[in-house]
Amino acid sequence: MKGMVIDAKHHGGFCLWPSKYNDHYTIKNTPWKNGKGDMVRELVDACRAGGLEVGMYLSPWDRNHKDYGKPEYNEYYKNQLRELLTEYGPIFMVWLDGANGGDGYYGGANEMRRVNQRTYYPVQEWIDIVRELQPDALMFSDMGPDVRWCGNEEGITTDTCWASVSGLYWSPQYTPEFYKMLNSGDRNGQDWIPAEVNFPLRLHPKGWFWHPGPSNTPASVKELVDIYFGSVGRNCSMDIGIAPDRKGLICDEDIASLTGFGKYIRDMYALNLAKLATFSASNFRGNNPNYAAKEALDGKIREKYWATDDEIKDAELFLDFDKTIEFNVVSISENLRLGQRIDSWAIDIWKDNQWEEVGKGVGIGSKRLWRGDKILRTNKIRFRITQASASPVVEEFGVYLAPKILNIPMITRNKRGDVKIQVNDENMIIYYTLDGSLPDKQANKYNGLFAINGKVEVKAVAYDVSSDRYSDISSVLFDVSKKEWKALTKLDNTENLFDGDAMTYSISKEVEQEKDLIIDLGRIYPITGFKYLPPQKVSAEGIIFKYDFFISKNGKDWFSVSNGEFSNIKNSPFWQTLKFDKMDGRYVKLRAIKDTEDNYTAGYAEFDIITN
């Protein structure tokens, strides 16, 4: 962990510091420390005491301020930005997002306000303020200017993620091409704006805020490790959203997840097996020892790295070990002061008296982590650069044996009520419970589908016989059975609506008007909420943004119990959970007023109700 970006003001507009430009919706108007507290100051001091860099997030959207959408708000925002950049010492990052309005209580007015990011926000003035007051700070946003968003909030980039981009710098056009550029960059781009992935620690269900209950849990160690390899290991930085609970503390579950993740990464890097090898290369620059093959080992001395002569665009690096080693991870870094130069590469091991290719890829950058799906044994490794735009410069080449990490069981239930538990490892045994207790070898052994029709919490764990270790526990709280449910609305692939598979979906797009998803639940239930999962695909088509939700006992007389918008659902297409006061009903209707593209297409991966 290198630093922390403090959420000084989120979309709600509440200021965690005693801003002199806000007299009503700020921490100075709370009982905490008799109105004399400053949460930003305490977080800043804690970061510096722990050796962490400090960043600031100041939401451009403010759903509380009376002037949002007017010129006066921009002055207010710039004044607050100056406060944060002048009163808390050195700042390493100013973090912004593309939030541009929605439902709010703007000075008490409960209404919808939308702005055009490109014309309303005085972006260049923000940049000037940051450059003047914190010249060493990086600026993050959808389009830079220093660090770019990766295009989603799931910690995912493409396998190749270039630091360079084209046509991105502060000119967002939210098209599929724009998102592709965010995610993968452009090999021949003119602007150097590397990517950062951001995602919430609370992945089950995905959300940026802490919620109580057994069905709200953080990412497992395995999930965090996978995201690390898919972000840091692909030339990106990794930003984990950590939310305090209602006591203002990080809960024990979240601490355990983060601690386990940190331990795994430290254990993986504890021994660089490359230190046991003799390095050699097919070429090194001018026969200068500062650029010899062995200089790829350290990566800490700026003036020393492995480099080839100018005319050499393909080269080989060899590691010879005195004895057979076991490894499953290779870490490669370029000297980015000289740019991203390596286009394609491959990794070979010496086996049966010949070279055998075990991995390959495109692009390296600040760090490229190759991870094998099994442990490899060899006494020689060869790194081949097969294409480069200029003479390659490799700053670090490391070889590691990462600890085995146990897969977590996945629990799903289909419309019939059949529960399926699976783990991507045939050598592991699954145990589960239905009574809320923690599963172990004394619990039910999973042997195949089993049926549950009522509300129940299923907990499962995978057991690895060879190491006598358990995986993290997975838990799913199922509500009432969907066995009797019927969709009364015509949809494409209606059967996908209740199949329990998040990757399938149904679409309604016949008529250019508001769409109603009407479901007959088969009987009357005491309903206290509903859950909606949008289609889980790259295109935003059909992701419902504005909605209205109704309940009826007879299918004729309808009562609206919840309406508004699924805020930020385009960037965070996670489960949307809405709760309300109990109402009995047999029929429910989810009205899709507009999707995130301002169209009338309505898509559904899964739908569920919450009962009392």
Side-chain angles (χ1 to χ4, degrees), residues 96-344:
L96 305 171
D97 58 28
N100 65 326
D103 285 343
Y105 293 86
Y106 302 97
N110 184 5
E111 60 189 27
M112 172 78 71
R113 294 187 188 179
R114 285 277 180 199
V115 302
N116 183 318
Q117 300 105 309
R118 303 177 69 212
T119 58
Y120 176 66
Y121 293 139
V123 174
Q124 188 56 53
E125 293 180 43
W126 298 349
I127 296 174
D128 293 342
I129 291 171
V130 175
R131 299 298 191 234
E132 174 192 353
L133 302 179
Q134 294 283 346
D136 294 328
L138 298 172
M139 293 188 69
F140 167 95
S141 79
D142 294 7
M143 47 286 193
D146 304 313
V147 183
R148 75 178 191 267
W149 179 47
C150 75
N152 61 67
E153 295 180 339
E154 301 180 60
I156 297 171
T157 66
T158 52
D159 183 66
T160 301
C161 187
W162 300 104
S164 51
V165 293
S166 295
L168 184 66
Y169 183 66
W170 286 112
S171 57
Q173 300 281 356
Y174 292 96
T175 62
E177 292 75 20
F178 173 74
Y179 282 98
K180 182 179 179 181
M181 180 70 70
L182 289 173
N183 212 233
S184 59
D186 181 359
R187 178 67 182 101
N188 299 310
Q190 299 301 306
D191 297 317
W192 185 270
I193 310 177
E196 174 179 304
V197 307
N198 65 308
F199 65 97
L201 177 63
R202 299 233 127 208
L203 283 185
H204 309 290
K206 292 176 181 174
W208 291 99
F209 300 100
W210 180 90
H211 296 283
S215 60
N216 291 275
T217 56
S220 67
V221 172
K222 182 184 185 306
E223 288 169 320
L224 290 174
V225 169
D226 287 344
I227 293 173
Y228 176 85
F229 273 88
S231 57
V232 174
R234 292 178 179 172
N235 190 38
C236 304
S237 54
M238 176 180 175
D239 180 357
I240 308 175
I242 304 171
D245 62 18
R246 290 173 181 171
K247 298 177 183 178
L249 304 174
I250 307 302
C251 71
D252 292 342
E253 287 180 305
D254 291 13
I255 291 174
S257 176
L258 293 167
T259 302
F261 168 58
K263 182 179 185 304
Y264 183 93
I265 297 300
R266 287 191 295 273
D267 289 348
M268 182 178 78
Y269 287 125
L271 174 61
N272 184 357
L273 296 166
K275 293 182 178 180
L276 306 177
T278 299
F279 279 69
S280 60
S282 58
N283 175 273
F284 67 96
R285 190 174 186 81
N287 291 322
N288 186 329
N290 286 340
Y291 307 125
K294 66 182 180 64
E295 300 305 333
L297 174 62
D298 193 298
K300 296 179 180 178
I301 303 176
R302 277 186 166 231
E303 297 78 16
K304 294 185 177 183
Y305 42 84
W306 173 48
T308 66
D309 291 323
D310 285 342
E311 67 275 11
I312 303 297
K313 305 292 179 64
D314 54 352
E316 297 177 346
L317 182 69
F318 302 93
L319 280 72
D320 290 290
F321 299 87
D322 290 337
K323 60 181 181 180
T324 298
I325 64 161
E326 293 183 339
F327 77 101
N328 54 10
V329 171
V330 171
S331 174
I332 315 160
S333 296
E334 290 183 88
N335 185 330
L336 289 188
R337 291 177 295 279
L338 300 174
Q340 272 190 268
R341 298 182 170 205
I342 299 174
D343 289 287
S344 57

Side-chain angles (χ1 to χ4, degrees), residues 373-388:
D373 55 8
K374 63 181 180 181
I375 295 176
L376 301 173
R377 293 172 54 85
T378 189
N379 65 342
K380 294 181 183 180
I381 295 175
R382 179 173 66 175
F383 174 57
R384 285 183 290 125
I385 299 170
T386 55
Q387 185 176 347

